[in-house]
Amino acid sequence: MRMKPIVAALVAAGVLAAGGAGAWSFGEMAHSRTAATTTTATAAATAPAAAMPASVTAGAVPNYREIVQAYGPAVVGVTVAGTRKVEAAEMPEIPDDPFFQFFRGLPHAPSGPQGAMPFRGQGSGFIVSADGLVLTNAHVVRDAKEVMVKLSDRREFRAKVLGSDAATDIAVLKVDAKDLPVVALGDDKQVQVGDYVLAIGTPFGFEQTATQGIVSAKGRSLPGDSYVPFIQTDAAVNPGNSGGPLFDAHGRVVGINAQIFSRSGGFQGLAFAIPISVALHVKDEIVLHGKVDHARLGITLQDLNQGLAESFGLQKPDGALVSSVMSGSAAARAELKPGDVITRIDGQPVHTGSDVSTRIGMAAPGQKIQLTIWRDKASRDIDVKLGALTDADTKQAAADSSPGTLGLAVRPLTPDEKREVNADHGLLVEDVGGAAAHAGIQPGDVVLSLNGKPVDSAAQIRAELEKKPGHIALLIQRNDQQIFVPIRLG
């Protein structure tokens, strides 16, 4: 049975590095991240800042010169060296889709035997305490055996990696120095779309480079990074900017530049920063415990749109739709189901899947929370005891087949196919056209449910279509991913 992948990828604003034998390597971005917060008061106590630049009235252009002069000295270059194991699967390929994982291996590396290859890399960071604590991205220091921090005054220090957290892509470094310049820390919750921002870093090795833009969006959930509510900006960010600060108009750090979305590998107007509240929480945990423990619910989510909301009987597309539940997870133990819509967490409203991800990320393993869900066109409360991020993931799948006015040609799964997708029901899509094709259904997809109800036969789909609904929502399995697809009928 051939199933097509659901493709979505991001280009990391990563580490450009000269490897051994003239090869070039690029630092890899973390694939999953978990959000957390800390208070601005704690941040201020940790990192006393220089005099704040003059306040900016709403809508006024900030004094970027003043911000760079005040806090540029606290922005550092981070250079790393080490060895990294190179597998054949890591060698670059040019995909058909222009969106692809880019900084994964050693592009243009010479062919040769597999094994360890030396690499050198470069990123950015910033000083948050006068006694030498530095924040950067975890992917900047991944596999590094030697880490050096270079200040704007040309001083260089060997740095110790106190800890790194791949889940949030945050690392904490320590240099042996005193009375260092520090940044001022802000509150990312106060940042609004349209606000001015400034990035300072070391793109392509060009030290103390400042670029400016505005906040383009907030709470952005990215493929593979659903736990971090990214701040999206149009400030130019390129390889080497990773780990550098994103300043607001008042000169306060509100984020850490981490990723770009690009078809070319270079900046194309979309950059993403990790909120400073997430970074400071991770920093505090690493300093206190040497590691970070993240809570895990064990579900995949997608945002509602009007079609999905109508299909599930909701008046408006508010909430986070559960598309799959991992076996053995906290969600499975609490009997959450695909098709449930999470509308509140501990009484606080949920508008998107990102709201759920970040709130779970702020919780600790073992913590109890209350979820308000919408199921069978009624609201109910479910108590959940959260698990840990290290819980084993269990793939879920299913398959189905059925023709009708949807434009689907489907059939039941064979016993072998059921074993392959680990399901006892479902319909395999053999051909598609019309409304289903327009909605993005593809041959090889497996239909698991219709409007939240499991399907085993074409007759079930036909029976639902006879009710002449304006919309329906199909839960499909494509490879190891599940997603609800809304389909407008008529």
Side-chain angles (χ1 to χ4, degrees), residues 363-424:
Q367 181 176 331
K368 294 182 179 179
I369 62 171
Q370 185 180 76
L371 299 180
T372 301
I373 66 167
W374 180 261
R375 179 189 294 172
D376 297 330
K377 299 184 179 180
S379 185
R380 66 180 71 185
D381 293 329
I382 295 179
D383 293 325
V384 182
K385 183 179 180 180
L386 296 173
L389 188 62
T390 53
D391 288 351
D393 292 346
T394 302
K395 294 182 180 180
Q396 298 206 358
D400 213 85
S401 137
S402 155
T405 58
L406 278 175
L408 287 179
V410 296
R411 64 165 175 80
L413 296 178
T414 67
D416 287 342
E417 289 168 345
K418 287 180 179 180
R419 285 191 292 271
E420 181 181 344
V421 299
N422 190 29
D424 58 5

Side-chain angles (χ1 to χ4, degrees), residues 127 129-133 151 155-158 174-181:
I127 305 169
S129 70
D131 61 353
L133 281 182
L151 275 62
R155 285 185 293 167
E156 294 188 45
F157 299 92
R158 188 177 300 274
K174 181 69 169 67
V175 299
D176 186 12
K178 295 181 180 180
D179 301 322
L180 294 176

Side-chain angles (χ1 to χ4, degrees), residues 34 36 165 281 285 289 291-295 361-365 388-390:
T34 307
D165 181 46
H281 174 84
E285 290 294 305
H289 308 295
K291 63 176 184 176
V292 185
D293 293 321
H294 298 292
M362 288 187 286
L389 188 62
T390 53

Side-chain angles (χ1 to χ4, degrees), residues 129-276:
S129 70
D131 61 353
L133 281 182
V134 176
L135 293 184
T136 187
N137 283 145
H139 75 267
V140 170
V141 297
R142 184 177 69 92
D143 296 332
K145 302 301 182 184
E146 179 183 274
V147 180
M148 298 295 295
V149 168
K150 185 176 182 180
L151 275 62
S152 63
D153 62 7
R154 305 297 177 181
R155 285 185 293 167
E156 294 188 45
F157 299 92
R158 188 177 300 274
K160 177 182 179 181
V161 180
L162 294 184
S164 64
D165 181 46
T168 54
D169 197 24
I170 297 297
V172 182
L173 312 181
K174 181 69 169 67
V175 299
D176 186 12
K178 295 181 180 180
D179 301 322
L180 294 176
V182 298
V183 297
L185 300 174
D187 182 0
D188 53 80
K189 294 180 179 60
Q190 300 301 315
V191 174
Q192 300 297 323
V193 175
D195 286 354
Y196 290 105
V197 286
L198 175 75
I200 304 179
T202 312
F204 300 110
F206 295 105
E207 301 171 1
Q208 292 290 306
T209 296
T211 55
Q212 58 84 30
I214 64 167
V215 174
S216 306
K218 286 189 63 181
R220 187 70 81 193
S221 181
L222 304 179
D225 302 285
S226 60
Y227 291 100
V228 173
F230 287 95
I231 301 169
Q232 179 184 326
T233 80
D234 67 350
V237 171
N238 282 290
N241 272 115
S242 279
L246 182 72
F247 294 93
D248 66 12
H250 302 279
R252 300 169 299 203
V253 175
V254 293
I256 298 181
N257 297 308
Q259 297 197 44
I260 59 175
F261 195 92
S262 176
R263 297 186 179 189
S264 66
F267 178 70
Q268 289 189 299
L270 293 174
F272 301 91
I274 302 165
I276 193 62

